[in-house]
Protein backbone atom coordinates (compact mmCIF):
# COMPACT_ATOMS: atom_id res chain seq x y z
CA UNK A 1 0.00 0.00 0.00
CA UNK A 2 1.17 3.50 -0.81
CA UNK A 3 2.40 5.41 2.24
CA UNK A 4 2.06 9.18 1.94
CA UNK A 5 4.26 9.36 5.04
CA UNK A 6 7.29 8.78 2.79
CA UNK A 7 7.00 12.44 1.73
CA UNK A 8 8.68 14.57 4.44
CA UNK A 9 5.96 17.26 4.37
CA UNK A 10 3.45 14.65 5.60
CA UNK A 11 5.57 13.97 8.68
CA UNK A 12 3.72 16.96 10.14
CA UNK A 13 0.48 14.96 10.27
CA UNK A 14 -0.51 12.53 13.00
CA UNK A 15 -1.00 8.82 12.17
CA UNK A 16 -4.75 9.37 12.64
CA UNK A 17 -4.79 12.17 10.04
CA UNK A 18 -2.63 10.16 7.61
CA UNK A 19 -5.06 7.24 7.79
CA UNK A 20 -7.88 9.45 6.47
CA UNK A 21 -6.02 10.47 3.29
CA UNK A 22 -7.35 9.04 0.02
CA UNK A 23 -5.62 11.34 -2.52
CA UNK A 24 -2.54 13.51 -2.22
CA UNK A 25 -0.15 15.73 -4.11
CA UNK A 26 3.24 17.06 -2.97
CA UNK A 27 4.70 19.96 -4.95
CA UNK A 28 6.77 23.13 -4.79
CA UNK A 29 10.44 23.89 -5.45
CA UNK A 30 11.48 21.98 -2.32
CA UNK A 31 8.55 19.56 -1.99
CA UNK A 32 7.27 21.73 0.85
CA UNK A 33 3.67 22.12 -0.26
CA UNK A 34 0.91 19.53 -0.19
CA UNK A 35 -2.76 19.08 -0.91
CA UNK A 36 -4.76 16.08 0.17
CA UNK A 37 -8.31 14.74 0.03
CA UNK A 38 -9.75 12.75 2.93
CA UNK A 39 -12.10 9.80 3.01
CA UNK A 40 -14.90 12.35 3.67
CA UNK A 41 -14.02 14.24 0.47
CA UNK A 42 -12.64 17.21 2.38
CA UNK A 43 -9.62 18.95 0.81
CA UNK A 44 -6.75 20.26 2.94
CA UNK A 45 -3.51 22.10 2.19
CA UNK A 46 -0.32 22.72 4.12
CA UNK A 47 3.15 24.09 3.49
CA UNK A 48 4.94 27.22 2.34
CA UNK A 49 2.19 28.62 0.07
CA UNK A 50 4.38 30.32 -2.59
CA UNK A 51 2.27 32.55 -4.87
CA UNK A 52 -0.86 31.45 -2.98
CA UNK A 53 -0.55 27.96 -4.47
CA UNK A 54 -2.33 26.35 -1.50
CA UNK A 55 -5.58 28.01 -2.58
CA UNK A 56 -6.37 29.22 0.93
CA UNK A 57 -7.16 32.84 0.01
CA UNK A 58 -3.93 34.29 1.42
CA UNK A 59 -0.15 34.04 1.18
CA UNK A 60 0.37 32.66 4.68
CA UNK A 61 2.40 29.49 5.05
CA UNK A 62 0.83 26.88 7.29
CA UNK A 63 2.35 24.04 9.27
CA UNK A 64 -1.15 22.89 10.24
CA UNK A 65 -3.46 21.55 7.52
CA UNK A 66 -6.12 24.09 6.49
CA UNK A 67 -9.30 23.20 4.65
CA UNK A 68 -9.97 24.51 1.13
CA UNK A 69 -13.73 24.86 1.50
CA UNK A 70 -14.50 25.55 -2.16
CA UNK A 71 -13.00 22.18 -3.19
CA UNK A 72 -14.62 20.00 -0.53
CA UNK A 73 -16.96 17.46 -2.11
CA UNK A 74 -15.69 18.19 -5.65
CA UNK A 75 -14.17 14.71 -6.30
CA UNK A 76 -10.83 15.46 -7.95
CA UNK A 77 -9.94 13.11 -10.84
CA UNK A 78 -6.78 14.77 -12.17
CA UNK A 79 -4.29 17.26 -10.75
CA UNK A 80 -1.12 18.89 -12.05
CA UNK A 81 1.06 21.85 -11.12
CA UNK A 82 3.73 24.15 -12.54
CA UNK A 83 6.93 25.59 -11.11
CA UNK A 84 5.41 28.98 -10.15
CA UNK A 85 3.72 27.03 -8.72
CA UNK A 86 0.25 27.08 -10.19
CA UNK A 87 -2.15 24.20 -9.51
CA UNK A 88 -4.88 22.89 -11.82
CA UNK A 89 -7.47 20.18 -11.13
CA UNK A 90 -10.23 18.44 -13.05
CA UNK A 91 -13.28 17.24 -11.11
CA UNK A 92 -15.58 14.27 -11.65
CA UNK A 93 -18.08 16.72 -13.19
CA UNK A 94 -15.50 17.67 -15.83
CA UNK A 95 -14.89 21.15 -14.41
CA UNK A 96 -11.42 22.71 -14.23
CA UNK A 97 -10.24 24.83 -11.30
CA UNK A 98 -6.91 26.67 -11.14
CA UNK A 99 -5.03 28.81 -8.62
CA UNK A 100 -1.56 30.02 -7.65
CA UNK A 101 1.06 31.69 -9.84
CA UNK A 102 -0.34 33.48 -12.88
CA UNK A 103 2.50 35.58 -14.29
CA UNK A 104 1.96 34.04 -17.74
CA UNK A 105 -1.86 33.59 -17.60
CA UNK A 106 -1.39 29.90 -16.81
CA UNK A 107 -4.62 30.03 -14.75
CA UNK A 108 -6.52 30.69 -17.97
CA UNK A 109 -8.60 33.57 -16.59
CA UNK A 110 -7.36 36.23 -19.01
CA UNK A 111 -5.29 38.08 -16.39
CA UNK A 112 -1.78 37.84 -14.96
CA UNK A 113 -2.90 38.30 -11.34
CA UNK A 114 -2.04 35.43 -9.01
CA UNK A 115 -5.06 33.42 -7.90
CA UNK A 116 -5.30 32.94 -4.16
CA UNK A 117 -8.35 30.67 -4.27
CA UNK A 118 -9.45 27.95 -6.73
CA UNK A 119 -11.38 29.52 -9.61
CA UNK A 120 -13.36 27.82 -12.35
CA UNK A 121 -11.64 27.96 -15.74
CA UNK A 122 -14.57 28.63 -18.01
CA UNK A 123 -13.51 30.24 -21.32
CA UNK A 124 -14.18 27.74 -24.13
CA UNK A 125 -14.60 24.94 -21.57
CA UNK A 126 -18.13 25.60 -20.28
CA UNK A 127 -19.79 22.84 -22.30
CA UNK A 128 -16.79 20.52 -22.18
CA UNK A 129 -16.00 17.77 -19.71
CA UNK A 130 -12.31 17.68 -18.88
CA UNK A 131 -10.86 14.34 -17.77
CA UNK A 132 -7.15 15.09 -17.51
CA UNK A 133 -4.97 18.15 -16.90
CA UNK A 134 -1.21 18.57 -17.31
CA UNK A 135 1.00 21.52 -16.45
CA UNK A 136 4.41 22.53 -17.74
CA UNK A 137 6.51 25.09 -15.97
CA UNK A 138 4.03 27.92 -16.69
CA UNK A 139 1.50 26.50 -19.15
CA UNK A 140 -1.52 24.22 -18.83
CA UNK A 141 -3.24 21.70 -21.08
CA UNK A 142 -6.60 20.01 -20.59
CA UNK A 143 -8.02 16.90 -22.27
CA UNK A 144 -11.78 16.54 -22.76
CA UNK A 145 -13.99 13.44 -22.90
CA UNK A 146 -14.32 13.83 -26.65
CA UNK A 147 -10.54 13.78 -27.13
CA UNK A 148 -9.97 17.50 -27.65
CA UNK A 149 -6.96 19.33 -26.17
CA UNK A 150 -7.10 22.90 -24.84
CA UNK A 151 -3.99 24.87 -23.85
CA UNK A 152 -3.16 28.20 -22.22
CA UNK A 153 -0.39 30.15 -20.48
CA UNK A 154 3.30 30.63 -21.26
CA UNK A 155 4.10 30.12 -24.92
CA UNK A 156 7.68 31.31 -25.52
CA UNK A 157 8.54 28.08 -27.36
CA UNK A 158 5.18 27.22 -28.89
CA UNK A 159 4.14 24.90 -26.02
CA UNK A 160 0.51 26.10 -26.25
CA UNK A 161 0.39 24.86 -29.86
CA UNK A 162 -1.29 27.97 -31.24
CA UNK A 163 1.10 28.54 -34.13
CA UNK A 164 2.70 31.58 -32.47
CA UNK A 165 4.88 32.34 -29.44
CA UNK A 166 2.47 34.83 -27.87
CA UNK A 167 1.26 33.83 -24.40
CA UNK A 168 -2.28 32.44 -24.40
CA UNK A 169 -4.44 34.13 -21.69
CA UNK A 170 -7.45 31.76 -21.92
CA UNK A 171 -8.02 28.13 -22.99
CA UNK A 172 -7.63 27.63 -26.74
CA UNK A 173 -8.26 24.43 -28.64
CA UNK A 174 -5.09 22.85 -30.01
CA UNK A 175 -6.02 22.01 -33.56
CA UNK A 176 -3.83 21.97 -36.72
CA UNK A 177 -3.00 18.35 -37.54
CA UNK A 178 -4.81 16.88 -34.48
CA UNK A 179 -8.02 18.78 -35.30
CA UNK A 180 -10.08 15.70 -36.17
CA UNK A 181 -8.22 13.17 -34.04
CA UNK A 182 -9.04 11.75 -30.59
CA UNK A 183 -6.43 12.34 -27.88
CA UNK A 184 -6.41 9.93 -24.93
CA UNK A 185 -3.40 11.03 -22.81
CA UNK A 186 -1.44 14.27 -22.35
CA UNK A 187 1.75 15.30 -20.55
CA UNK A 188 3.98 18.37 -20.31
CA UNK A 189 7.71 18.90 -19.97
CA UNK A 190 8.95 22.25 -18.67
CA UNK A 191 8.31 23.97 -22.01
CA UNK A 192 6.75 21.33 -24.26
CA UNK A 193 3.53 19.33 -24.60
CA UNK A 194 2.81 15.76 -25.71
CA UNK A 195 -0.40 14.01 -26.74
CA UNK A 196 -1.18 10.32 -27.35
CA UNK A 197 -4.00 9.50 -29.79
CA UNK A 198 -6.51 6.66 -29.62
CA UNK A 199 -4.81 5.10 -32.65
CA UNK A 200 -1.44 4.91 -30.83
CA UNK A 201 0.17 7.89 -32.58
CA UNK A 202 2.04 10.45 -30.50
CA UNK A 203 2.41 14.18 -31.16
CA UNK A 204 4.61 16.85 -29.57
CA UNK A 205 4.96 20.62 -29.69
CA UNK A 206 6.91 23.41 -27.98
CA UNK A 207 10.55 23.52 -26.88
CA UNK A 208 12.84 21.00 -28.58
CA UNK A 209 16.46 22.08 -28.03
CA UNK A 210 17.23 18.78 -26.24
CA UNK A 211 15.29 16.69 -28.75
CA UNK A 212 12.41 16.14 -26.30
CA UNK A 213 9.82 16.18 -29.11
CA UNK A 214 11.41 13.07 -30.66
CA UNK A 215 11.37 14.50 -34.18
CA UNK A 216 15.02 13.86 -35.03
CA UNK A 217 15.89 17.57 -34.88
CA UNK A 218 16.27 20.35 -32.30
CA UNK A 219 13.87 22.93 -33.67
CA UNK A 220 10.98 24.25 -31.56
CA UNK A 221 7.50 23.50 -32.90
CA UNK A 222 4.56 25.92 -32.56
CA UNK A 223 1.97 23.33 -33.60
CA UNK A 224 1.65 19.56 -32.94
CA UNK A 225 4.03 17.31 -34.92
CA UNK A 226 3.67 13.55 -35.18
CA UNK A 227 6.67 11.50 -34.09
CA UNK A 228 7.15 9.71 -37.39
CA UNK A 229 9.92 7.47 -36.01
CA UNK A 230 7.27 5.61 -33.98
CA UNK A 231 5.16 4.82 -37.06
CA UNK A 232 3.48 1.42 -36.60
CA UNK A 233 4.17 1.37 -32.87
CA UNK A 234 1.13 1.79 -30.60
CA UNK A 235 1.80 4.25 -27.77
CA UNK A 236 -0.59 4.04 -24.80
CA UNK A 237 0.99 6.40 -22.24
CA UNK A 238 3.44 9.31 -22.25
CA UNK A 239 5.34 10.94 -19.37
CA UNK A 240 7.59 14.01 -19.55
CA UNK A 241 10.51 14.92 -17.34
CA UNK A 242 12.19 18.32 -17.22
CA UNK A 243 13.52 17.92 -20.78
CA UNK A 244 13.05 14.24 -21.63
CA UNK A 245 10.12 12.07 -22.65
CA UNK A 246 9.13 8.46 -21.93
CA UNK A 247 6.51 6.53 -23.90
CA UNK A 248 4.93 3.15 -23.15
CA UNK A 249 3.72 0.87 -25.98
CA UNK A 250 0.77 -1.50 -25.98
CA UNK A 251 3.29 -4.38 -25.89
CA UNK A 252 4.94 -3.11 -22.70
CA UNK A 253 8.07 -1.63 -24.32
CA UNK A 254 9.45 1.78 -23.28
CA UNK A 255 10.90 4.40 -25.64
CA UNK A 256 12.80 7.47 -24.44
CA UNK A 257 14.13 10.64 -26.06
CA UNK A 258 15.39 14.13 -25.21
CA UNK A 259 17.91 15.34 -22.62
CA UNK A 260 20.15 12.70 -21.07
CA UNK A 261 22.85 14.40 -19.01
CA UNK A 262 21.69 12.45 -15.92
CA UNK A 263 21.08 9.15 -17.74
CA UNK A 264 17.32 9.82 -17.63
CA UNK A 265 16.77 8.06 -20.96
CA UNK A 266 18.03 4.77 -19.47
CA UNK A 267 20.17 4.06 -22.52
CA UNK A 268 23.36 3.30 -20.55
CA UNK A 269 25.02 6.57 -21.62
CA UNK A 270 24.50 10.32 -21.21
CA UNK A 271 24.03 11.37 -24.83
CA UNK A 272 20.88 13.29 -25.77
CA UNK A 273 18.60 11.53 -28.24
CA UNK A 274 16.45 13.48 -30.71
CA UNK A 275 14.76 10.24 -31.86
CA UNK A 276 12.89 7.66 -29.76
CA UNK A 277 15.24 4.96 -28.45
CA UNK A 278 13.94 1.72 -27.00
CA UNK A 279 15.14 1.04 -23.46
CA UNK A 280 16.47 -2.45 -22.87
CA UNK A 281 14.52 -3.83 -19.89
CA UNK A 282 15.26 -7.59 -19.92
CA UNK A 283 12.11 -8.67 -21.76
CA UNK A 284 10.00 -7.53 -18.79
CA UNK A 285 6.65 -6.11 -19.87
CA UNK A 286 6.10 -2.57 -18.53
CA UNK A 287 2.66 -1.31 -17.48
CA UNK A 288 3.52 2.26 -16.42
CA UNK A 289 6.13 4.95 -17.05
CA UNK A 290 6.69 7.89 -14.72
CA UNK A 291 8.48 11.24 -15.03
CA UNK A 292 7.64 14.83 -14.14
CA UNK A 293 8.73 18.23 -15.42
CA UNK A 294 10.33 19.18 -12.10
CA UNK A 295 13.09 16.55 -12.28
CA UNK A 296 15.39 14.39 -14.40
CA UNK A 297 14.18 11.19 -12.73
CA UNK A 298 12.53 8.31 -14.61
CA UNK A 299 10.66 5.26 -13.33
CA UNK A 300 8.60 2.38 -14.64
CA UNK A 301 6.62 -0.56 -13.30
CA UNK A 302 6.57 -4.09 -14.69
CA UNK A 303 3.61 -6.39 -15.08
CA UNK A 304 4.92 -8.46 -12.18
CA UNK A 305 5.01 -5.36 -9.96
CA UNK A 306 8.73 -4.58 -10.01
CA UNK A 307 9.60 -0.89 -9.97
CA UNK A 308 12.65 0.40 -11.85
CA UNK A 309 14.29 3.82 -11.67
CA UNK A 310 16.99 5.69 -13.58
CA UNK A 311 18.20 9.21 -14.28
CA UNK A 312 18.92 11.64 -11.46
CA UNK A 313 18.45 9.68 -8.24
CA UNK A 314 19.37 11.64 -5.12
CA UNK A 315 22.14 13.43 -7.01
CA UNK A 316 23.51 10.30 -8.67
CA UNK A 317 23.28 9.82 -12.42
CA UNK A 318 21.91 6.31 -13.01
CA UNK A 319 22.19 5.65 -16.75
CA UNK A 320 20.42 2.27 -16.90
CA UNK A 321 17.15 1.09 -15.30
CA UNK A 322 17.84 -0.05 -11.75
CA UNK A 323 15.53 -2.53 -9.99
CA UNK A 324 14.27 -1.15 -6.66
CA UNK A 325 12.46 -2.72 -3.71
CA UNK A 326 9.60 -0.22 -4.09
CA UNK A 327 6.05 -1.28 -4.84
CA UNK A 328 4.99 1.90 -6.71
CA UNK A 329 6.64 4.44 -9.01
CA UNK A 330 5.43 7.07 -6.52
CA UNK A 331 7.95 5.77 -3.97
CA UNK A 332 10.79 6.52 -6.42
CA UNK A 333 9.76 10.18 -6.49
CA UNK A 334 9.29 10.33 -2.71
CA UNK A 335 12.73 8.88 -1.99
CA UNK A 336 14.96 9.70 -4.97
CA UNK A 337 13.64 12.67 -7.00
CA UNK A 338 14.96 16.18 -6.42
CA UNK A 339 12.76 17.86 -5.34
CA UNK A 340 10.76 15.02 -3.76
CA UNK A 341 7.38 15.78 -5.34
CA UNK A 342 4.57 13.61 -6.72
CA UNK A 343 4.51 12.98 -10.48
CA UNK A 344 0.70 12.66 -10.56
CA UNK A 345 -2.26 12.71 -8.17
CA UNK A 346 -1.63 9.96 -5.64
CA UNK A 347 -4.44 7.58 -4.89
CA UNK A 348 -4.16 5.95 -1.50
CA UNK A 349 -5.78 2.56 -1.19
CA UNK A 350 -8.62 2.89 1.27
CA UNK A 351 -8.95 -0.79 2.08
CA UNK A 352 -8.37 -1.68 5.69
CA UNK A 353 -5.85 -4.46 5.12
CA UNK A 354 -4.03 -5.21 8.35
CA UNK A 355 -0.56 -6.69 8.62
CA UNK A 356 -0.07 -9.84 10.73
CA UNK A 357 1.26 -7.67 13.56
CA UNK A 358 -1.69 -5.27 13.38
CA UNK A 359 -4.19 -8.15 13.34
CA UNK A 360 -2.68 -9.73 16.44
CA UNK A 361 -2.58 -6.41 18.28
CA UNK A 362 -6.26 -5.87 17.45
CA UNK A 363 -7.27 -9.27 18.89
CA UNK A 364 -5.46 -8.86 22.22
CA UNK A 365 -7.93 -8.94 25.14
CA UNK A 366 -10.85 -9.25 22.75
CA UNK A 367 -13.38 -11.88 23.94
CA UNK A 368 -14.79 -12.54 20.45
CA UNK A 369 -12.55 -15.46 19.39
CA UNK A 370 -10.40 -15.92 22.49
CA UNK A 371 -10.18 -19.43 23.97
CA UNK A 372 -8.52 -18.61 27.28
CA UNK A 373 -8.90 -15.98 29.97
CA UNK A 374 -6.67 -15.04 32.88
CA UNK A 375 -8.29 -13.83 36.09
CA UNK A 376 -6.08 -11.29 37.86
CA UNK A 377 -7.24 -9.11 40.77
CA UNK A 378 -10.82 -10.04 39.86
CA UNK A 379 -10.48 -8.85 36.25
CA UNK A 380 -10.41 -10.84 32.99
CA UNK A 381 -7.78 -10.74 30.26
CA UNK A 382 -8.80 -12.56 27.04
CA UNK A 383 -6.11 -14.34 25.02
CA UNK A 384 -5.48 -17.16 22.52
CA UNK A 385 -3.73 -20.36 23.55
CA UNK A 386 -2.02 -20.93 20.20
CA UNK A 387 -0.41 -17.50 20.25
CA UNK A 388 0.80 -17.86 23.84
CA UNK A 389 2.38 -21.25 23.04
CA UNK A 390 4.13 -19.82 19.98
CA UNK A 391 5.41 -16.74 21.82
CA UNK A 392 6.42 -18.03 25.27
CA UNK A 393 8.14 -21.23 26.49
CA UNK A 394 6.45 -20.96 29.89
CA UNK A 395 2.99 -21.02 28.32
CA UNK A 396 3.92 -23.77 25.90
CA UNK A 397 4.73 -26.04 28.84
CA UNK A 398 1.81 -24.86 30.98
CA UNK A 399 -0.89 -25.07 28.30
CA UNK A 400 0.26 -28.47 27.06
CA UNK A 401 -0.53 -29.81 30.55
CA UNK A 402 -3.93 -28.21 30.98
CA UNK A 403 -7.01 -27.63 28.85
CA UNK A 404 -8.61 -25.13 31.23
CA UNK A 405 -10.21 -22.08 29.66
CA UNK A 406 -9.65 -19.87 32.72
CA UNK A 407 -6.47 -19.51 34.80
CA UNK A 408 -6.20 -17.52 38.01
CA UNK A 409 -3.02 -15.52 38.70
CA UNK A 410 -2.24 -14.23 42.18
CA UNK A 411 1.50 -13.50 42.30
CA UNK A 412 1.35 -10.48 39.92
CA UNK A 413 -0.87 -7.41 39.68
CA UNK A 414 -3.47 -7.00 36.92
CA UNK A 415 -1.56 -4.08 35.39
CA UNK A 416 1.72 -5.99 35.21
CA UNK A 417 0.23 -9.27 33.99
CA UNK A 418 -1.85 -7.54 31.30
CA UNK A 419 1.28 -5.67 30.13
CA UNK A 420 3.12 -9.01 29.87
CA UNK A 421 0.37 -10.63 27.80
CA UNK A 422 0.08 -7.54 25.62
CA UNK A 423 3.85 -7.71 25.00
CA UNK A 424 3.37 -11.24 23.62
CA UNK A 425 0.91 -9.80 21.07
CA UNK A 426 2.75 -6.58 20.19
CA UNK A 427 6.48 -6.93 21.03
CA UNK A 428 6.28 -3.63 22.92
CA UNK A 429 5.60 -2.55 26.48
CA UNK A 430 3.52 0.43 27.49
CA UNK A 431 4.09 1.07 31.18
CA UNK A 432 5.48 3.87 33.37
CA UNK A 433 8.94 3.09 34.86
CA UNK A 434 7.53 2.35 38.34
CA UNK A 435 5.28 -0.41 36.97
CA UNK A 436 8.01 -1.62 34.60
CA UNK A 437 9.86 -2.70 37.75
CA UNK A 438 7.02 -5.15 38.49
CA UNK A 439 7.09 -6.36 34.89
CA UNK A 440 10.85 -6.81 35.19
CA UNK A 441 10.17 -9.13 38.16
CA UNK A 442 7.75 -11.14 35.99
CA UNK A 443 10.19 -11.25 33.04
CA UNK A 444 12.88 -12.60 35.36
CA UNK A 445 10.46 -15.19 36.76
CA UNK A 446 9.42 -16.37 33.26
CA UNK A 447 12.98 -16.11 31.87
CA UNK A 448 11.89 -13.66 29.14
CA UNK A 449 15.27 -12.12 28.31
CA UNK A 450 14.09 -9.64 25.67
CA UNK A 451 11.23 -8.43 27.87
CA UNK A 452 13.74 -7.95 30.69
CA UNK A 453 15.83 -5.76 28.43
CA UNK A 454 12.79 -3.68 27.38
CA UNK A 455 11.86 -3.14 31.02
CA UNK A 456 15.41 -2.10 31.87
CA UNK A 457 15.37 0.44 29.02
CA UNK A 458 12.00 1.82 30.18
CA UNK A 459 13.26 2.16 33.73
CA UNK A 460 16.50 3.76 32.59
CA UNK A 461 14.64 6.33 30.46
CA UNK A 462 12.27 7.14 33.31
CA UNK A 463 14.76 7.67 36.13
CA UNK A 464 14.41 10.99 37.94
CA UNK A 465 15.58 12.29 41.32
CA UNK A 466 12.15 11.58 42.80
CA UNK A 467 12.00 7.88 41.91
CA UNK A 468 15.70 6.94 41.66
CA UNK A 469 15.92 5.25 45.08
CA UNK A 470 12.76 3.16 44.51
CA UNK A 471 13.91 2.11 41.06
CA UNK A 472 17.48 1.41 42.16
CA UNK A 473 16.42 -0.90 44.96
CA UNK A 474 14.05 -2.70 42.58
CA UNK A 475 16.79 -3.05 39.99
CA UNK A 476 19.18 -4.52 42.56
CA UNK A 477 16.51 -6.90 43.84
CA UNK A 478 15.82 -8.23 40.32
CA UNK A 479 19.50 -8.28 39.28
CA UNK A 480 18.91 -5.70 36.55
CA UNK A 481 22.37 -4.31 37.00
CA UNK A 482 22.34 -2.06 33.97
CA UNK A 483 18.92 -0.51 34.55
CA UNK A 484 20.13 2.21 36.93
CA UNK A 485 23.82 2.05 36.17
CA UNK A 486 23.93 5.34 34.27
CA UNK A 487 22.09 7.43 36.81
Amino acid sequence: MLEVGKWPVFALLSPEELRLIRQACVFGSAGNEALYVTVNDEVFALGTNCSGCLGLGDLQSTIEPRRIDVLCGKKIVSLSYGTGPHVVIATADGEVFAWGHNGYSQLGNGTTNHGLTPALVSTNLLNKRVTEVACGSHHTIALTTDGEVYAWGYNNSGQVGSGSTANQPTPRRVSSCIQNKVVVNVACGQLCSMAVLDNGEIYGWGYNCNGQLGLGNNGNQQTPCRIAALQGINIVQVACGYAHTLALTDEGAVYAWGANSYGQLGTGNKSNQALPTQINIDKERMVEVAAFHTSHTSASKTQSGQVLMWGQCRGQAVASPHVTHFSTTDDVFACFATPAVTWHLLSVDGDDHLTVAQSLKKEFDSPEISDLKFLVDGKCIHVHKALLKIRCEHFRALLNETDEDAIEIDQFSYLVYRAFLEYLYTDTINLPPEDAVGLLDLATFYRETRLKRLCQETIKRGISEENAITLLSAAVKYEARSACYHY
Side-chain angles (χ1 to χ4, degrees), residues 3-235:
E3 293 172 47
V4 288
K6 285 184 177 167
W7 274 269
V9 68
F10 281 118
L12 292 164
L13 272 60
S14 69
E16 291 72 32
E17 287 172 306
L18 288 174
R19 271 199 290 275
L20 295 175
I21 294 177
R22 288 298 171 265
Q23 291 172 302
C25 171
V26 177
F27 60 104
S29 58
N32 283 341
E33 278 137 341
L35 297 169
Y36 64 90
V37 184
T38 68
V39 67
N40 306 318
D41 230 4
E42 290 187 302
V43 183
F44 291 88
L46 73 159
T48 44
N49 205 14
C50 294
S51 307
C53 65
L54 296 184
L56 296 166
D58 56 46
L59 294 166
Q60 297 297 311
S61 66
T62 176
I63 206 159
E64 292 277 334
R66 287 171 58 193
R67 197 167 64 180
I68 310 175
D69 292 328
V70 67
L71 294 182
C72 293
K74 288 282 184 206
K75 299 209 182 308
I76 299 170
V77 295
S78 179
L79 181 152
S80 193
Y81 55 89
T83 52
H86 74 290
V87 183
V88 183
I89 64 161
T91 69
D93 291 336
E95 292 181 323
V96 176
F97 289 83
W99 63 95
H101 194 283
N102 196 33
Y104 303 93
S105 299
Q106 60 263 51
L107 301 186
N109 60 15
T111 77
T112 51
N113 305 324
H114 296 337
L116 299 184
T117 52
L120 187 67
V121 183
S122 55
T123 307
N124 295 330
L125 293 179
L126 269 183
N127 300 314
K128 302 289 178 185
R129 288 176 66 92
V130 170
T131 55
E132 188 181 8
V133 289
C135 297
S137 187
H138 300 290
H139 77 288
T140 307
I141 59 179
L143 174 64
T144 69
T145 46
D146 44 15
E148 295 175 352
V149 176
Y150 288 78
W152 59 94
Y154 195 36
N155 194 32
N156 68 329
S157 307
Q159 59 265 46
V160 168
S162 59
S164 79
T165 53
N167 292 347
Q168 177 61 39
T170 53
R172 177 193 178 279
R173 176 142 184 229
V174 181
S175 50
S176 69
C177 59
I178 61 168
Q179 171 83 46
N180 299 310
K181 301 187 186 284
V182 175
V183 175
V184 292
N185 177 223
V186 289
C188 294
Q190 280 268 298
L191 299 166
C192 70
S193 307
M194 304 294 303
V196 177
L197 271 50
D198 62 347
N199 64 3
E201 291 178 350
I202 181 167
Y203 286 73
W205 59 98
Y207 189 77
N208 192 32
C209 288
N210 308 100
Q212 55 263 62
L213 298 186
L215 303 172
N217 60 50
N218 293 104
N220 295 351
Q221 299 293 330
Q222 294 172 15
T223 54
C225 291
R226 184 169 69 86
I227 301 181
L230 290 173
Q231 173 76 38
I233 293 165
N234 261 325
I235 302 300

Side-chain angles (χ1 to χ4, degrees), residues 447-464:
R447 299 203 175 102
E448 286 285 335
T449 316
R450 183 175 176 276
L451 180 58
K452 258 178 92 165
R453 198 166 63 246
L454 278 177
C455 292
Q456 288 165 5
E457 285 166 10
T458 300
I459 293 164
K460 199 185 297 184
R461 277 200 308 271
I463 288 177
S464 64

Side-chain angles (χ1 to χ4, degrees), residues 208-218 227 229 243-246 255-261 263-279:
N208 192 32
C209 288
N210 308 100
Q212 55 263 62
L213 298 186
L215 303 172
N217 60 50
N218 293 104
I227 301 181
H244 75 289
T245 309
L246 304 174
Y255 286 83
W257 58 92
N260 198 25
S261 49
Q264 60 263 49
L265 301 186
T267 52
N269 60 50
K270 294 182 187 175
S271 306
N272 290 4
Q273 297 287 339
L275 284 170
T277 305
Q278 188 171 350
I279 303 178

Side-chain angles (χ1 to χ4, degrees), residues 466-477:
E466 292 75 35
N467 64 13
I469 303 302
T470 318
L471 295 180
L472 186 61
S473 58
V476 170
K477 179 179 172 188

